[in-house]
Amino acid sequence: MRSHEAGAIHGQSGDRGPAWLHAPEDANQLVPQLWSSSVSKVDDVLTVAGESVLDIAEEFGTPTYVVDEDDFRQRARAFRDAFPNADVYYAAKAFLCTASARWVVEEGLNVDVCSGGELAVALRAEVPPARIGLHGNNKSVAELRTALEAGVGRIIIDSFEEIDRIRELATELGLTANVMVRVTAGVEAHTHEYISTSHEDQKFGFSISGGDAFEAVRRILAEPSMSLLGLHSHIGSQIFVTDGFEVAAKRVLCLHARIAAELGYTAPEFDLGGGFGIAYTTQDDPSTPEDLARDMLRIVDDECAALGIDVPQLSIEPGRAIAGPSTFTLYEVGTTKTVALDAGASRLYVSVDGGMSDNIRTALYGADYSCTLASRRSDAAAVLSRVVGKHCESGDIVVKDEFLPGDVKAGDLLAVPGTGAYCRSLASTYNHVPRAAVVAVREGEARLIVRRETEEDLFALDVG
Ligand SMILES: Cc1ncc(COP(=O)(O)O)c(C=O)c1O
């Protein structure tokens, strides 16, 4: 990899910021599509569901993930309503705690978990086991046993070893395991593009083109201890258009039809996975659940008609699109530093009291985020800024490029929208920084749903 004198990540967006980022007329203004539905600025202070961030910071501290509960619920309902005849599984990996598991079930969704720990939270939240799906490319015997004993609605099988493990467990427990087979359709999708290959160099699923998927199904159908619900495919993340789903659906339904023709079994269900994109910055234009539904249902109907088969019961697994936009992270500014760049340009570095430990996506995926000064109005000119964390790591960046008022200073509060997915769930205690709190706000009430980790919590593990 070509190294850059100031470190890889610094040089990417150049001195004027990325092409999609334009200096705002008024940096105090919110970009509506980036924030949850109950967020606004009241007297120049960011407010969510009637609760000001000044009060939230005072009561719960910072950094804090602030969840707009009604927005989260509304997004869950939007998928349920857009896919009325399908089963919608909330992909818990995006963000899971007892409260969020309860919210999605109350809104009529099911829950997709991918580890023993996520399953434990879902059961603790009293999610009906029949409405839980268990994923994972390497499920342990213990995880499978817990899932079978709990009576989860379906286990999505990802390997031949797993078929053997489930056979032994289900036989020992004297029950029938409801299973799906995760297949790889040779499609990888992301934002507006997808790549379609014959094979997939990745860890998940059974290859269709390589024949493993058909073989897995053949073995499962021969197992009295298992009942095959259908095929599952998940093609990527942060997807804005349905082209990739179309190619994947064609290939998976083709296999579905072959199974019916050659093995005499018509699987009742078909899962198209998740991956629906959200807006992190002004460059993003995600599809609505209604648009996605219209296209995806048409794709499946047309392909089934072309294959002369009945349309199976569909399911989808949105995670990011439900959790992501409902939450912003509230930080306090600790230090600022103007750094000279080439050609007389400069960048304002704004250090906050969190960082990659509460949002690893910028460092891990090069993700883009936005940001606003949340605690006051500023009439200072907007300057190209970078919001960075407090970790001892040059890649510890939260917001790579944003225009913030040039007078941002220590003690100010900043808010970064779109942090509801894959932030708290990927949080760490790097540099022994305790993990941040999660606060849900609804109708002017803010309540803790995940408490802030303390040094005592860290010590509890340190048995040295
Ligand atoms: C099998 C499966 N389903 C659903 C999801 C959720 O994806 P997203 O949060 O992008 O909707 C994932 C994400 O990795 C996944 O692996």
Side-chain angles (χ1 to χ4, degrees), residues 136-147:
N137 67 298
N138 179 15
K139 305 176 191 73
S140 67
V141 171
E143 287 170 327
L144 290 167
R145 179 184 293 280
T146 305

Side-chain angles (χ1 to χ4, degrees), residues 355-435:
M356 62 194 294
S357 60
D358 60 70
N359 185 351
I360 189 74
R361 297 192 61 255
T362 310
L364 187 59
Y365 308 120
D368 289 311
Y369 280 93
S370 318
C371 182
T372 193
L373 173 58
S375 49
R376 64 179 174 89
R377 171 181 184 78
S378 166
D379 294 319
V383 297
L384 182 65
S385 308
R386 179 158 289 171
V387 179
V388 296
K390 61 176 293 165
H391 295 281
C392 206
E393 185 92 20
S394 61
D396 175 26
I397 295 172
V398 178
V399 181
K400 282 188 290 182
D401 302 291
E402 178 63 287
F403 282 94
L404 285 171
D407 67 346
V408 165
K409 61 185 186 317
D412 281 337
L413 298 177
L414 293 186
V416 175
T419 59
Y422 306 109
C423 290
R424 181 60 177 78
S425 57
L426 282 168
S428 75
T429 56
Y430 186 38
N431 297 144
H432 273 67
V433 172
R435 287 174 291 185

Side-chain angles (χ1 to χ4, degrees), residues 91 93 112 135 182 232 234 237 274-276 317-320 422:
K93 59 182 68 74
D112 139 24
H135 268 288
R182 180 166 179 172
H232 169 282
H234 174 78
S237 220
F276 314 119
E317 303 168 337
R320 183 193 313 273
Y422 306 109

Side-chain angles (χ1 to χ4, degrees), residues 122 130 146 153 160 185 270 275 284 303 307 333-334 340 360 385 422 450 452:
T146 305
F160 289 114
F270 171 32
D284 301 327
E303 194 51 28
L307 290 164
V333 174
I360 189 74
S385 308
Y422 306 109
V450 181
R452 185 176 306 286

